[in-house]
Amino acid sequence: MPRPLAASEPAPLPVTEYPFRLPRGFVDGEGQLHRDGVMRLATARDELLPLKDQRVQENPAYLSVVLLGRVVTRLGALPEVHAGIVEGLFAADLAFLQRFYEKINTDGTALASTTCPACTHEFAVDLGRRLGE
């Protein structure tokens, strides 16, 4: 159990960025594979501004593409990540990022509980590091 903070101690900063590894990876125009990235926690603005995006208004399924383009801050050696990059991800990687986004923004952690189907042992898996390896 963490000890209580003294009145003069500043509260520790919350974790706001989470590393991940894509199951398949993004292949850029030069054939380079990019799998390791970082996603930051979403703000209210991140969830509201995409609703005004013309692409989302025409096709609501585009919402997750625009949203992920805002919160994925790094992917491999790419100089920037945006909705166009997210559009080019394999479906397995898009699904992974959607689950990862949901996990870190609801639980505040990339850890997920799971159970071994063979022995029923319960353990935690770091979604940012274990999947896709």
Side-chain angles (χ1 to χ4, degrees), residues 5-11:
L5 294 175
S8 61
E9 286 184 83

Side-chain angles (χ1 to χ4, degrees), residues 55-75:
R55 297 166 292 186
V56 175
Q57 291 179 350
E58 292 174 1
N59 181 359
Y62 208 83
L63 176 61
S64 66
V65 171
V66 175
L67 183 56
L68 291 172
R70 293 180 59 87
V71 297
V72 175
T73 59
R74 188 178 63 78
L75 183 58

